[in-house]
Amino acid sequence: MANIIKSALYKLFKDWTFRITLIIGVALAVFMNLVYLGIDLLDGGTVGNICNGQTLFISSLSPTQNFGLTVPINLVVFTIGEFNCGTIRNKIIAGHKKSSIYLSMFLIGLIFTVSLMTIYFGLSVGIASAIGGFKTEGTTLNGFFQPELLYQYPLMALATYVFIVSFAIFIATLTRSIGGSMPLVIIPVVFLMFFAIIPMMQNITELNPGDTFDIGFQGWLNPIFTFGIMSLMSMKMDATWFIASLVTPIYWAAIFLVFGTLIFVKRDVK
């Protein structure tokens, strides 16, 4: 499997899809900072109220806003391209186990995702911090930044993108059609995001930035729950919420990885 991953990674980083997506990410990071800077200038001319490191720290990792949606789209295109080009079939003919091939697709997709999001996240936060500074207890677009989020939010985001990679690879290998896979991946992710917002909207008048939030049952079922909450207000994540934000997307990722592998092993590759 190591040889499969090595050859696929070489192909991935030479692929124009990856390069173009990376260019889009860099351009979008600059553009979003300019938008927030423009808001600051129009709102009294005080730079740093919105265009600051902590605001981009929260907003740039969202899987349904800005750059985040390019991840499942590119995963679908790249994975199905492996089928259309006969790469998967050649790997099977060469004697590689189907389970190893599927696991390698997941790992490659994870490396692809982490690479793109790390560059976008780092550039977004870096530019914003250079413009408006970074305060661990400063304000964001949606409230106040909590110091604990410095380690909680990136870990939660990583767990969430592990789920997105597993889900996108599962759908792509199941349908093997770009047109069929795109809505089956994008719509559920967006739906889960908005579904998480519902309890927040019901209680938003009773909450203040910095308060904790009762995650209820949805926190243990919805793998994108925290992103939905944070899209409306920067909240303080207590221990239960933080654990749920890691456990929930990871167990969903494991479910899709196991079922995806079983289906891929039993199904013919044409």
Side-chain angles (χ1 to χ4, degrees):
M1 188 173 70
N3 291 332
I4 298 176
I5 295 176
K6 183 178 179 180
S7 62
L9 286 176
Y10 176 82
K11 178 181 177 181
L12 173 64
F13 289 106
K14 291 291 184 179
D15 187 71
W16 275 104
T17 301
F18 180 84
R19 296 181 180 182
I20 292 173
T21 305
L22 185 58
I23 293 172
I24 292 173
V26 172
L28 188 58
V30 175
F31 174 74
M32 292 306 300
N33 273 282
L34 291 176
V35 170
Y36 287 135
L37 177 60
I39 295 174
D40 276 345
L41 294 175
L42 291 173
D43 187 24
T46 303
V47 176
N49 284 342
I50 293 178
C51 186
N52 53 54
Q54 58 269 21
T55 292
L56 272 296
F57 192 94
I58 296 294
S59 64
S60 61
L61 288 175
S62 174
T64 62
Q65 299 173 347
N66 305 331
F67 190 62
L69 276 178
T70 65
V71 169
I73 292 173
N74 281 281
L75 286 174
V76 167
V77 172
F78 182 79
T79 302
I80 294 177
E82 293 287 278
F83 286 96
N84 295 339
C85 295
T87 305
I88 301 296
R89 184 177 180 84
N90 291 337
K91 290 177 181 178
I92 295 175
I93 294 174
H96 295 291
K97 294 181 179 180
K98 283 187 174 182
S99 57
S100 297
I101 294 173
Y102 190 90
L103 182 58
S104 69
M105 285 193 291
F106 169 74
L107 293 176
I108 292 165
L110 190 58
I111 294 172
F112 170 86
T113 299
V114 171
S115 299
L116 288 176
M117 292 307 300
T118 299
I119 294 171
Y120 177 72
F121 173 72
L123 190 59
S124 297
V125 176
I127 295 174
S129 298
I131 295 174
F134 193 115
K135 298 178 180 179
T136 56
E137 294 184 355
T139 59
T140 70
L141 180 63
N142 299 321
F144 292 96
F145 191 84
Q146 308 298 320
E148 296 83 2
L149 293 176
L150 286 172
Y151 72 89
Q152 291 176 334
Y153 208 69
L155 289 176
M156 179 274 295
L158 177 60
T160 301
Y161 279 102
V162 169
F163 156 71
I164 290 176
V165 170
S166 181
F167 179 59
I169 298 297
F170 173 80
I171 296 297
T173 55
L174 187 66
T175 65
R176 302 179 188 178
S177 167
I178 293 178
S181 296
M182 288 294 185
L184 291 177
V185 173
I186 300 300
I187 292 176
V189 170
V190 174
F191 173 79
L192 287 172
M193 177 78 167
F194 282 104
F195 193 66
I197 293 176
I198 295 176
M200 183 65 175
M201 291 297 296
Q202 294 174 339
N203 298 279
I204 195 169
T205 57
E206 303 174 2
L207 295 170
N208 296 306
D211 289 347
T212 56
F213 185 77
D214 183 10
I215 62 173
F217 72 92
Q218 192 180 166
W220 297 98
L221 292 177
N222 187 344
I224 310 182
F225 177 79
T226 302
F227 276 113
I229 300 299
M230 292 293 185
S231 67
L232 292 181
M233 182 181 292
S234 298
M235 303 291 294
K236 183 177 181 180
M237 296 175 64
D238 59 18
T240 301
W241 185 358
F242 178 53
I243 293 172
S245 70
L246 300 180
V247 171
T248 304
I250 291 299
Y251 82 68
W252 276 114
I255 290 172
F256 283 112
L257 182 61
V258 170
F259 278 97
T261 302
L262 293 175
I263 294 172
F264 185 75
V265 168
K266 294 182 179 181
R267 191 176 175 188
D268 293 333
V269 177
K270 299 180 180 179

